[in-house]
Amino acid sequence: MHSTYTNNKDLNSKSLRWRKGATAGFLASTLALAACGGDSNLRAPGSGVDPELPPPATDYDVTIRRTGEGIPHITAANFASMGYGYGYAQAEDNLCLLAEDTLTIRGLRARYLGGDGRYTIPANGAATTNIEADFFWRSLATDDAIAPLREVSDPEVLAASRGFVDGFNRYRQEILAGQHSGRHLACRDADWLLALEENDMYRRYFRLAVLASSSVFVDGVANAAPPALTGDIPLPLDADDIIAQLTELAGGLLDGVDSLLPFPLGGELPFGSNMYALSGETTHNGESMLFGNPHFPWEKTERLYMAHLQVGPSDERIEIMGAALIGLPAVLIGFNDKFAWSHTVSTAFRFSFYELTLDPLDPTRYLFDGELIDMEARDITIDVLEQDGTLRQEQRTLYHSHYGPMLEFEVSGVPILSWSPLKAYTLRDANAENDRLLNQFFRWNRAGSFEEFVALHASVLGTPWVNTIATGPGKPSYYGDVTVVPNVPDSKVLTCPTALTPVFALLQPGLPILDGSRTDCAWDTDDDAPAPGIFGPGNLPSLTRSDWVHNCNDSYWLTHPEEPLTGFAAVIGDEESARSLRTRQCIRQVQDRLDGSDGRPGTTFDMPLLQDIVLDSRLMTERLARDTVLDSYCAVPLPLLGSSGPVDVAPACEVLAAWDGTHNLDARGGHIWREFWRGINPLPLDVPGMWLTPFSASDPVNTPAGLNPLSPLVSTAFADGVQAAVDSGFPLDAPMGDIQFSAIHPVGISSSGVQDARIPVFGGEGFEGAFTIASSRGPLTEDGYAVNFGNSYIQTVTWDEQGRPVAEGFVTYSQSTDPASPFFRNMTEAYADKAWIRFPYTDADINADPALQTLRLRASAP
């Protein structure tokens, strides 16, 4: 192993921009690196590599320049070296997070973290035990499952993945050797800080591919078992019984079952995003702009990590900057001098259920095309760490049909998919078969033009579960839900029904459940599809316009309200139906800007105006309903009847009358409004009597409207919301900055000896029509709103007169999960101040950063 470490000339400058004394920690760790390896050298500031010493022969040679906010700018001659630097940098910032994910994808959580420990996937809402997680991932992320990813991936993917493994392992070895003192205390001495292997990368890619499909059913797959054919065997509920029980649970609101009951990926998505592409017709200077803002968890491995990649010789350099999910050696959302793009989670389903007709004498055999087929039995044994430190083993046999894993599933205690002696249910997952996933993003990262980027979207068709928008300097605005979707046209749903088809039509419209006993109920394949069983680009929605496109997690239908997209299969998304409150706010912000009704100067966008709008923290419900509340419940503020009795709403009315209608840090009274809408949140958008003006497909942005103050549901929710605000102990006129804060940045003494204060967070919840998202995933408590989800990576991008990207934004939770890192809080504090961070792109801007640290790594492959 060879390495050369250099520091730029301003290493010891007093002008370092890191916050709260964090420089000392990073400097100490950088100096400590000098002890690694016999050829390691710490050069004097500004000296660079000694030209008299020829560089050793290496497999990896990469330079990592860290600018002041913690963004690694990774320069390498090839993708293997880029991956090496990327793996090292991510380990430096998130070692323990990556190490824990390695346990997950290998099915070793119970072995190292205990059988009583919990496993959650905040991005899709899955929550279970370590034991169930281990059985699930051992059953699905097998060597056979990941083999196609390795076999089909481009050479660049293979090289970068291999390099990432070795870069991570290098940093791990430095930790084990006692370097980087004080860093990564959560895992540096743990027996679960395991070395990465190449297969770990492909298991991670597989895990991310099925994030919006199989992995929402962890418990259902891990516990699926055939019935014992002895004694009294309870028969499953029929469709009428299931519908009756679901309707009872939904309070009799038959039409609102899909909004009221917790079906995975139903209702408001557990993860989401906002994005705009704005072309020259809408901007002040005629140059295109892009805004991207995923709403992802602030914890676990669905955090986004920002990097700048420069690969190849300077005259043929591949360059891309942006963010990726932790553990990926690419950029998934980003920009360069040719284009910029972003993603939002799509409404399309990535899987379908199949109903199997079983052999009544053997529930592990099923009928297919008139013959009985044996399920594949997978015997899995896991180790479980007991509280006394001993290990025990637990064994299960899990089954797979030729479609995929067997599963059982219930909703709010009502068994929906049950394994009986007669019927059983299995799942086919299109993204478990998606071997083009990494090629999609690596080819995008290497695209030479906006036009090539758009063409690759359709030709590779490996995008797993996200909508895409893109634009470029002087280019139009592009949108596409050109993703991996099971080819289940509406006609197939009609010709392949099951006994539970009416249940899913009510519970989760658009999600297919098909007869698994017939070949003709298998997924179709389009002629232009790159793989069997999926729609080709000709049957997937896309739109290119010269003004703007958007997506804020509703379906493709209103990508632009003046050009609705229609005629696509229900499995892809809904059409001519009510949009979410956030989507309506999303569209109105653009419309109000372009017609000049938003109170800002002019009728076009520039970067400051765009940035002001997207962090404005206004609410669609305030626009729709505050005047109604003030003119009804507050006009003569008598006690209002809540769930637990009369509530004096007069003090709250006084505060709401003065409230500025936002969830900015200095806004007073917003928590009253949020708790009011929390009570309305479970109700379907079109519940009878809630709105005076019902939804109209001819005016979908502005309807439904006119909140009905005479509705008992609404009046009770307002009274309960006021009572919840009072019970919290916060003053009714408390500013949001005193109530809402980052849950992942605790108060205490930092590694630099500075008292870290609670970081306030602005923004609101999707159910109240917030565009700027800050979610605590729960009601107001005496501690306030502890934010652990919402705005994550944010980028606003345009191009200057020379065609160079001009980009600003945030990683809202900061780059590192290590409290000892200088990059643990810094971007979060900037975000709280709405102090937009310029993303340095050119070498001149990078090298001019007074806080720049430069690290060169050389190594031979193990």
Side-chain angles (χ1 to χ4, degrees):
M1 179 180 292
H2 305 279
S3 57
T4 301
Y5 302 86
T6 66
N7 302 66
N8 89 314
K9 62 184 179 180
D10 291 311
L11 177 64
N12 298 311
S13 168
K14 295 181 180 179
S15 62
L16 299 185
R17 291 189 287 114
W18 300 341
R19 295 170 182 257
K20 297 198 175 183
T23 308
F26 187 74
L27 177 57
S29 64
T30 304
L31 293 173
L33 288 173
C36 176
D39 285 327
S40 297
N41 295 283
L42 180 64
R43 301 299 180 184
S47 68
V49 179
D50 190 336
E52 296 180 2
L53 295 176
T58 62
D59 294 286
Y60 302 119
D61 188 347
V62 59
T63 299
I64 305 171
R65 292 174 290 174
R66 286 264 195 180
T67 44
E69 299 297 343
I71 302 168
H73 305 261
I74 300 170
T75 304
N78 53 55
F79 278 89
S81 292
M82 181 277 288
Y84 188 80
Y86 213 160
Y88 187 94
Q90 286 203 28
E92 190 173 29
D93 288 331
N94 297 289
L95 179 72
C96 299
L97 190 63
L98 285 162
E100 183 183 341
D101 192 50
T102 301
L103 299 182
T104 298
I105 57 181
R106 290 188 190 177
L108 295 174
R109 293 185 64 88
R111 162 65 181 82
Y112 288 98
L113 303 179
D116 294 333
R118 298 292 296 173
Y119 171 65
T120 61
I121 310 176
N124 68 21
T128 187
T129 67
N130 288 338
I131 291 174
E132 311 305 329
D134 286 350
F135 280 114
F136 175 84
W137 290 115
R138 291 274 191 97
S139 177
L140 264 68
T142 62
D143 289 345
D144 288 343
I146 66 172
L149 280 169
R150 294 194 67 163
E151 295 166 358
V152 176
S153 288
D154 292 342
E156 293 84 356
V157 177
L158 302 177
S161 300
R162 182 175 63 253
F164 191 100
V165 167
D166 291 341
F168 173 93
N169 286 340
R170 168 157 182 177
Y171 187 81
R172 172 184 174 271
Q173 279 300 122
E174 293 171 1
I175 288 289
L176 295 180
Q179 298 181 51
H180 316 296
S181 177
R183 296 296 305 276
H184 311 290
L185 297 181
C187 68
R188 69 177 295 135
D189 297 321
D191 59 354
W192 51 268
L193 181 56
L194 306 178
L196 273 185
E197 300 172 1
E198 282 191 56
N199 272 353
D200 293 329
M201 299 298 290
Y202 296 92
R203 285 190 169 86
R204 177 172 290 119
Y205 304 153
F206 180 89
R207 183 181 66 76
L208 293 171
V210 300
L211 184 64
S213 46
S214 296
S215 68
V216 304
F217 302 107
V218 174
D219 277 343
V221 170
N223 288 292
L229 299 181
T230 58
D232 293 331
I233 303 171
L235 294 177
L237 299 174
D238 64 22
D240 290 341
D241 288 336
I242 292 173
I243 290 173
Q245 290 194 30
L246 293 177
T247 304
E248 182 179 358
L249 285 169
L253 295 169
L254 181 63
D255 293 336
V257 167
D258 61 317
S259 297
L260 291 165
L261 296 177
F263 190 87
L265 303 181
E268 187 181 0
L269 292 170
F271 55 166
S273 308
N274 297 327
M275 59 184 183
Y276 296 130
L278 307 167
S279 293
E281 291 183 9
T282 66
T283 64
H284 180 67
N285 63 358
E287 188 53 271
S288 299
M289 302 175 68
L290 183 134
F291 163 70
N293 175 205
H295 304 150
F296 263 55
W298 287 26
E299 304 171 291
K300 303 295 182 182
T301 48
E302 277 65 65
R303 283 173 55 112
L304 288 149
Y305 183 84
M306 188 176 187
H308 180 193
L309 311 179
Q310 299 173 315
V311 185
S314 57
D315 58 339
E316 299 177 2
R317 177 177 286 175
I318 295 166
E319 189 161 13
I320 205 78
M321 189 172 189
L325 294 170
I326 292 287
L328 270 71
V331 168
L332 306 187
I333 293 174
F335 59 90
N336 61 17
D337 59 341
K338 302 295 193 302
F339 52 84
W341 82 100
S342 194
H343 297 298
T344 61
V345 178
S346 159
T347 58
F349 289 103
R350 311 297 161 181
F351 61 94
S352 74
F353 296 122
Y354 276 95
E355 182 180 86
L356 304 182
T357 300
L358 303 181
D359 177 352
L361 300 179
D362 183 350
T364 66
R365 288 162 56 86
Y366 61 98
L367 193 68
F368 185 71
D369 284 347
E371 297 183 3
L372 288 172
I373 298 177
D374 290 323
M375 296 177 188
E376 178 193 353
R378 298 183 179 180
D379 295 325
I380 301 169
T381 301
I382 66 169
D383 291 328
V384 180
L385 179 66
E386 301 284 52
Q387 292 185 355
D388 62 3
T390 61
L391 290 176
R392 68 173 175 86
Q393 289 190 324
E394 186 167 328
Q395 189 273 337
R396 294 180 191 175
T397 301
L398 300 179
Y399 292 87
H400 285 239
S401 72
H402 72 280
Y403 297 106
M406 303 301 296
L407 82 161
E408 297 183 83
F409 184 70
E410 64 179 36
V411 172
S412 297
V414 179
I416 307 295
L417 305 180
S418 301
W419 196 334
S420 75
L422 302 178
K423 299 288 184 180
Y425 297 89
T426 185
L427 175 149
R428 183 179 177 187
D429 187 336
N431 272 320
E433 304 170 17
N434 178 8
D435 56 17
R436 303 168 308 286
L437 168 68
L438 273 298
N439 288 347
Q440 182 76 73
F441 290 99
F442 272 80
R443 291 183 193 179
W444 269 344
N445 286 186
R446 309 194 315 272
S449 67
F450 165 79
E451 290 78 10
E452 184 181 0
F453 180 95
V454 172
L456 285 167
H457 199 196
S459 63
V460 180
L461 220 173
T463 310
W465 34 260
V466 287
N467 303 286
T468 301
I469 63 167
T471 189
K475 301 300 181 181
S477 297
Y478 166 78
Y479 162 84
D481 190 351
V482 182
T483 50
V484 177
V485 185
N487 194 324
V488 183
D490 296 350
S491 57
K492 188 173 291 288
V493 176
L494 295 176
T495 59
C496 294
T498 73
L500 295 184
T501 295
V503 175
F504 279 87
L506 174 69
L507 184 66
Q508 194 60 60
L511 175 59
I513 180 165
L514 305 172
D515 181 355
S517 67
R518 299 153 43 197
T519 297
D520 59 341
C521 293
W523 297 349
D524 292 344
T525 300
D526 286 344
D527 292 339
D528 59 344
I534 62 173
F535 286 111
N539 280 322
L540 294 168
S542 64
L543 181 66
T544 300
R545 290 184 60 92
S546 60
D547 49 4
W548 62 278
V549 295
H550 91 288
N551 187 269
C552 291
N553 290 130
D554 270 312
S555 75
Y556 52 82
W557 177 46
L558 288 189
T559 294
H560 194 291
E562 295 177 11
E563 192 175 353
L565 298 171
T566 59
F568 298 94
V571 70
I572 305 173
D574 56 342
E575 301 170 6
E576 298 187 342
S577 61
R579 303 292 89 178
S580 72
L581 291 163
R582 174 158 58 89
T583 288
R584 293 170 64 186
Q585 177 73 1
C586 189
I587 295 172
R588 283 299 302 267
Q589 287 177 164
V590 176
Q591 293 177 331
D592 294 350
R593 174 82 296 263
L594 297 181
D595 66 18
S597 62
D598 65 357
R600 298 175 175 89
T603 57
T604 55
F605 286 91
D606 61 18
M607 185 79 90
L609 282 170
L610 176 62
Q611 292 174 344
D612 181 55
I613 290 168
V614 298
L615 296 188
D616 187 80
S617 295
R618 293 193 176 276
L619 310 171
M620 190 66 188
T621 55
E622 187 276 336
R623 182 196 296 251
L624 291 172
R626 182 161 64 137
D627 286 348
T628 297
V629 169
L630 294 177
D631 292 343
S632 56
Y633 308 139
C634 295
V636 182
L638 299 173
L640 200 62
L641 186 61
S643 299
S644 300
V647 177
D648 180 7
V649 300
C653 285
E654 184 177 344
V655 173
L656 289 176
W659 175 45
D660 69 1
T662 77
H663 283 325
N664 285 316
L665 297 183
D666 58 353
R668 297 175 181 271
H671 60 300
I672 305 170
W673 193 257
R674 181 178 300 172
E675 294 310 306
F676 165 34
W677 281 88
R678 191 183 306 280
I680 295 178
N681 177 34
L683 301 177
L685 286 174
D686 55 353
V687 62
M690 180 176 171
W691 300 99
L692 298 176
T693 301
F695 167 74
S696 169
S698 63
D699 189 14
V701 180
N702 298 306
T703 60
L707 189 69
N708 181 6
L710 300 180
S711 165
L713 297 172
V714 175
S715 62
T716 299
F718 183 68
D720 289 348
V722 171
Q723 189 62 56
V726 171
D727 291 345
S728 73
F730 287 97
L732 293 176
D733 63 349
M736 185 59 70
D738 288 354
I739 303 174
Q740 186 163 269
F741 60 95
S742 167
I744 66 168
H745 297 97
V747 177
I749 302 298
S750 71
S751 59
S752 61
V754 176
Q755 175 69 41
D756 285 334
R758 203 162 80 163
I759 303 176
V761 178
F762 55 85
E765 300 268 13
F767 64 75
E768 53 183 338
F771 176 89
T772 309
I773 299 297
S775 176
S776 58
R777 300 296 183 93
L780 181 61
T781 71
E782 61 183 11
D783 293 326
Y785 297 120
V787 174
N788 57 14
F789 168 87
N791 284 6
S792 51
Y793 171 70
I794 298 176
Q795 64 177 26
T796 53
V797 185
T798 188
W799 292 266
D800 64 18
E801 294 179 353
Q802 287 74 44
R804 295 172 299 206
V806 177
E808 295 181 350
F810 308 93
V811 179
T812 60
Y813 32 66
S814 301
Q815 289 275 80
S816 178
T817 50
D818 178 16
S821 169
F823 311 124
F824 178 65
R825 295 171 56 96
N826 59 328
M827 281 206 206
T828 312
E829 291 170 334
Y831 177 66
D833 294 337
K834 296 188 182 180
W836 288 80
I837 296 167
R838 177 63 64 95
F839 297 154
Y841 184 82
T842 67
D843 284 338
D845 286 343
I846 295 166
N847 292 330
D849 189 320
L852 184 68
Q853 295 273 352
T854 300
L855 175 66
R856 186 171 183 182
L857 301 174
R858 296 177 182 176
S860 299

